[in-house]
Amino acid sequence: MERVPTGIEGLDELLQGGFPERTVNLVSGPAGSGKSLLSLEYIFNGAREFGDTGVYITLEESRENIERAMLNYKMDFQALEDQGKFYLIDLGDLRKEVDTAEEIETGLLAFSTLTEFLQKHLSVTHAKRVAIDSVTAVGLYYTSVEVLRREMFRFARMLKEFGVTSLLITESLENQQLTRYGIEQFIADSFITLGLEDVKGELRRTITVRKARFTRHDTATHPLLITENGLEVAAEEKVLR
Ligand SMILES: Nc1ncnc2c1ncn2[C@@H]1O[C@H](COP(=O)(O)OP(=O)(O)O)[C@@H](O)[C@H]1O
Ligand SMILES: [Mg+2]
């Protein structure tokens, strides 16, 4: 099976080389646990190291914030953007490109709008990697969990039909269920949780691969480090509880 490497030191080891091609992968964790950084690196490394065109859709932060974060971690995206290998899309861009998206005016966005956007975008760019940060923001559009589950399932199926290998971000609330709506993990092919704990006054970050279809993955919890060069997973080291 073809693997799509994240290019993040240590993480690909836990995943037997990366995500299987054409899968939908979910990363969950509390605020500050490194979700955005992980998904940015997935798209950036894909373009720079593996030649995969990628799209990063930010629904919670502005393009300016994301650009600043990337430069802070030495992700020099400008040249890749100019070459059409890297696309950074924010809510403002979606508003311009999807004309039926009245819901964007209210700040809320349905999966059908994202689908419409990606259909147009991917037919032109032929991107291989897509990251959506976050689907928690999209979930706010729905007032019923049943409808949300159905729409998210449909969205995941569409992503696979497009042939992309995608990363969906979902925010969890500390010390509560693993995902915001409690359903996201059932829709994805793989499920990675990030942790953020206060240990003697210092924040400790962790990463656990809880599920990975088609993969004999490592199931331990490992330290996740943020260095000046970005994320590093200590694949040989385990966090014991
Ligand atoms: N050099 C660094 N060392 C340690 N932590 C950092 C460093 N730079 C930024 N951070 C922290 O890393 C976090 C990055 O997390 P981010 O990917 O934005 O998290 P999330 O998307 O899960 O909220 C931020 O909360 C920031 O405080
Ligand atoms: Mg974030």
Side-chain angles (χ1 to χ4, degrees), residues 30-37 73 205 226-227:
S33 59
K35 302 181 298 295
S36 293
L37 191 51
Y73 292 106
R205 291 190 174 82
I226 301 182
T227 75

PDB file of all heavy atoms in Angstrom, residues 30-37 73 205 226-227, ligand 1:
ATOM      1  N   PRO A  30      -6.475  19.275  22.723  1.00  0.00           N
ATOM      2  CA  PRO A  30      -6.907  20.563  23.286  1.00  0.00           C
ATOM      3  C   PRO A  30      -6.143  21.729  22.659  1.00  0.00           C
ATOM      4  O   PRO A  30      -5.141  21.518  21.962  1.00  0.00           O
ATOM      5  CB  PRO A  30      -6.591  20.434  24.774  1.00  0.00           C
ATOM      6  CG  PRO A  30      -5.509  19.418  24.858  1.00  0.00           C
ATOM      7  CD  PRO A  30      -5.713  18.486  23.698  1.00  0.00           C
ATOM      8  N   ALA A  31      -6.579  22.938  22.926  1.00  0.00           N
ATOM      9  CA  ALA A  31      -5.915  24.139  22.403  1.00  0.00           C
ATOM     10  C   ALA A  31      -4.459  24.154  22.853  1.00  0.00           C
ATOM     11  O   ALA A  31      -4.158  23.874  24.009  1.00  0.00           O
ATOM     12  CB  ALA A  31      -6.637  25.382  22.904  1.00  0.00           C
ATOM     13  N   GLY A  32      -3.570  24.432  21.926  1.00  0.00           N
ATOM     14  CA  GLY A  32      -2.157  24.529  22.264  1.00  0.00           C
ATOM     15  C   GLY A  32      -1.400  23.217  22.219  1.00  0.00           C
ATOM     16  O   GLY A  32      -0.209  23.163  22.512  1.00  0.00           O
ATOM     17  N   SER A  33      -2.082  22.134  21.811  1.00  0.00           N
ATOM     18  CA  SER A  33      -1.419  20.823  21.834  1.00  0.00           C
ATOM     19  C   SER A  33      -0.574  20.578  20.579  1.00  0.00           C
ATOM     20  O   SER A  33       0.190  19.622  20.529  1.00  0.00           O
ATOM     21  CB  SER A  33      -2.459  19.702  22.006  1.00  0.00           C
ATOM     22  OG  SER A  33      -3.396  19.724  20.960  1.00  0.00           O
ATOM     23  N   GLY A  34      -0.728  21.428  19.552  1.00  0.00           N
ATOM     24  CA  GLY A  34       0.110  21.288  18.363  1.00  0.00           C
ATOM     25  C   GLY A  34      -0.620  20.812  17.121  1.00  0.00           C
ATOM     26  O   GLY A  34       0.006  20.446  16.132  1.00  0.00           O
ATOM     27  N   LYS A  35      -1.952  20.857  17.124  1.00  0.00           N
ATOM     28  CA  LYS A  35      -2.739  20.370  15.985  1.00  0.00           C
ATOM     29  C   LYS A  35      -2.452  21.161  14.713  1.00  0.00           C
ATOM     30  O   LYS A  35      -2.248  20.587  13.645  1.00  0.00           O
ATOM     31  CB  LYS A  35      -4.249  20.460  16.286  1.00  0.00           C
ATOM     32  CG  LYS A  35      -4.703  19.705  17.503  1.00  0.00           C
ATOM     33  CD  LYS A  35      -6.208  19.823  17.713  1.00  0.00           C
ATOM     34  CE  LYS A  35      -6.696  21.239  17.950  1.00  0.00           C
ATOM     35  NZ  LYS A  35      -6.211  21.863  19.199  1.00  0.00           N
ATOM     36  N   SER A  36      -2.454  22.479  14.857  1.00  0.00           N
ATOM     37  CA  SER A  36      -2.248  23.305  13.660  1.00  0.00           C
ATOM     38  C   SER A  36      -0.847  23.111  13.119  1.00  0.00           C
ATOM     39  O   SER A  36      -0.652  23.000  11.905  1.00  0.00           O
ATOM     40  CB  SER A  36      -2.487  24.787  13.982  1.00  0.00           C
ATOM     41  OG  SER A  36      -3.848  24.990  14.270  1.00  0.00           O
ATOM     42  N   LEU A  37       0.105  23.042  14.019  1.00  0.00           N
ATOM     43  CA  LEU A  37       1.485  22.857  13.581  1.00  0.00           C
ATOM     44  C   LEU A  37       1.637  21.511  12.863  1.00  0.00           C
ATOM     45  O   LEU A  37       2.267  21.424  11.805  1.00  0.00           O
ATOM     46  CB  LEU A  37       2.404  22.936  14.816  1.00  0.00           C
ATOM     47  CG  LEU A  37       3.896  23.020  14.582  1.00  0.00           C
ATOM     48  CD1 LEU A  37       4.244  24.119  13.597  1.00  0.00           C
ATOM     49  CD2 LEU A  37       4.604  23.261  15.932  1.00  0.00           C
ATOM     50  N   TYR A  73       8.570  28.770  12.241  1.00  0.00           N
ATOM     51  CA  TYR A  73       9.144  27.410  12.265  1.00  0.00           C
ATOM     52  C   TYR A  73       9.933  27.109  10.994  1.00  0.00           C
ATOM     53  O   TYR A  73      10.097  25.949  10.620  1.00  0.00           O
ATOM     54  CB  TYR A  73       8.036  26.379  12.477  1.00  0.00           C
ATOM     55  CG  TYR A  73       7.442  26.475  13.859  1.00  0.00           C
ATOM     56  CD1 TYR A  73       6.184  27.032  14.043  1.00  0.00           C
ATOM     57  CD2 TYR A  73       8.155  26.052  14.970  1.00  0.00           C
ATOM     58  CE1 TYR A  73       5.640  27.163  15.307  1.00  0.00           C
ATOM     59  CE2 TYR A  73       7.612  26.186  16.242  1.00  0.00           C
ATOM     60  CZ  TYR A  73       6.363  26.736  16.402  1.00  0.00           C
ATOM     61  OH  TYR A  73       5.843  26.866  17.656  1.00  0.00           O
ATOM     62  N   ARG A 205       3.720  17.812  26.234  1.00  0.00           N
ATOM     63  CA  ARG A 205       2.882  17.426  25.104  1.00  0.00           C
ATOM     64  C   ARG A 205       3.111  15.958  24.759  1.00  0.00           C
ATOM     65  O   ARG A 205       4.230  15.457  24.830  1.00  0.00           O
ATOM     66  CB  ARG A 205       3.191  18.288  23.879  1.00  0.00           C
ATOM     67  CG  ARG A 205       2.764  19.725  24.037  1.00  0.00           C
ATOM     68  CD  ARG A 205       2.850  20.487  22.721  1.00  0.00           C
ATOM     69  NE  ARG A 205       2.299  21.818  22.880  1.00  0.00           N
ATOM     70  CZ  ARG A 205       2.966  22.850  23.386  1.00  0.00           C
ATOM     71  NH1 ARG A 205       4.212  22.704  23.760  1.00  0.00           N
ATOM     72  NH2 ARG A 205       2.381  24.012  23.528  1.00  0.00           N
ATOM     73  N   ILE A 226       8.044  20.477  20.692  1.00  0.00           N
ATOM     74  CA  ILE A 226       8.043  21.583  19.741  1.00  0.00           C
ATOM     75  C   ILE A 226       9.410  22.250  19.852  1.00  0.00           C
ATOM     76  O   ILE A 226       9.762  22.777  20.902  1.00  0.00           O
ATOM     77  CB  ILE A 226       6.921  22.593  20.024  1.00  0.00           C
ATOM     78  CG1 ILE A 226       5.567  21.899  19.953  1.00  0.00           C
ATOM     79  CG2 ILE A 226       6.973  23.739  19.020  1.00  0.00           C
ATOM     80  CD1 ILE A 226       4.371  22.820  20.166  1.00  0.00           C
ATOM     81  N   THR A 227      10.165  22.164  18.774  1.00  0.00           N
ATOM     82  CA  THR A 227      11.481  22.790  18.757  1.00  0.00           C
ATOM     83  C   THR A 227      11.424  23.972  17.803  1.00  0.00           C
ATOM     84  O   THR A 227      10.394  24.227  17.170  1.00  0.00           O
ATOM     85  CB  THR A 227      12.569  21.812  18.264  1.00  0.00           C
ATOM     86  OG1 THR A 227      12.434  21.665  16.844  1.00  0.00           O
ATOM     87  CG2 THR A 227      12.433  20.452  18.923  1.00  0.00           C
TER      88      THR A 227
HETATM   89  N1  LIG B   1       9.377  27.086  20.386  1.00  0.00           N
HETATM   90  C1  LIG B   1       8.330  26.619  21.061  1.00  0.00           C
HETATM   91  N2  LIG B   1       8.507  25.727  22.063  1.00  0.00           N
HETATM   92  C2  LIG B   1       7.451  25.259  22.726  1.00  0.00           C
HETATM   93  N3  LIG B   1       6.200  25.585  22.463  1.00  0.00           N
HETATM   94  C3  LIG B   1       5.942  26.454  21.496  1.00  0.00           C
HETATM   95  C4  LIG B   1       6.985  27.001  20.738  1.00  0.00           C
HETATM   96  N4  LIG B   1       6.428  27.845  19.822  1.00  0.00           N
HETATM   97  C5  LIG B   1       5.104  27.793  19.999  1.00  0.00           C
HETATM   98  N5  LIG B   1       4.802  26.962  20.995  1.00  0.00           N
HETATM   99  C6  LIG B   1       3.460  26.624  21.474  1.00  0.00           C
HETATM  100  O1  LIG B   1       3.040  25.589  20.638  1.00  0.00           O
HETATM  101  C7  LIG B   1       1.680  25.694  20.440  1.00  0.00           C
HETATM  102  C8  LIG B   1       1.438  25.445  18.974  1.00  0.00           C
HETATM  103  O2  LIG B   1       0.261  24.872  18.954  1.00  0.00           O
HETATM  104  P1  LIG B   1      -0.778  24.901  17.769  1.00  0.00           P
HETATM  105  O3  LIG B   1      -0.280  24.005  16.710  1.00  0.00           O
HETATM  106  O4  LIG B   1      -1.160  26.267  17.416  1.00  0.00           O
HETATM  107  O5  LIG B   1      -1.863  24.207  18.647  1.00  0.00           O
HETATM  108  P2  LIG B   1      -3.392  23.922  18.433  1.00  0.00           P
HETATM  109  O6  LIG B   1      -3.662  24.111  16.998  1.00  0.00           O
HETATM  110  O7  LIG B   1      -3.553  22.527  18.938  1.00  0.00           O
HETATM  111  O8  LIG B   1      -4.118  24.891  19.326  1.00  0.00           O
HETATM  112  C9  LIG B   1       1.253  27.077  20.843  1.00  0.00           C
HETATM  113  O9  LIG B   1       0.360  26.962  21.922  1.00  0.00           O
HETATM  114  C10 LIG B   1       2.502  27.742  21.337  1.00  0.00           C
HETATM  115  O10 LIG B   1       2.294  28.292  22.609  1.00  0.00           O
END
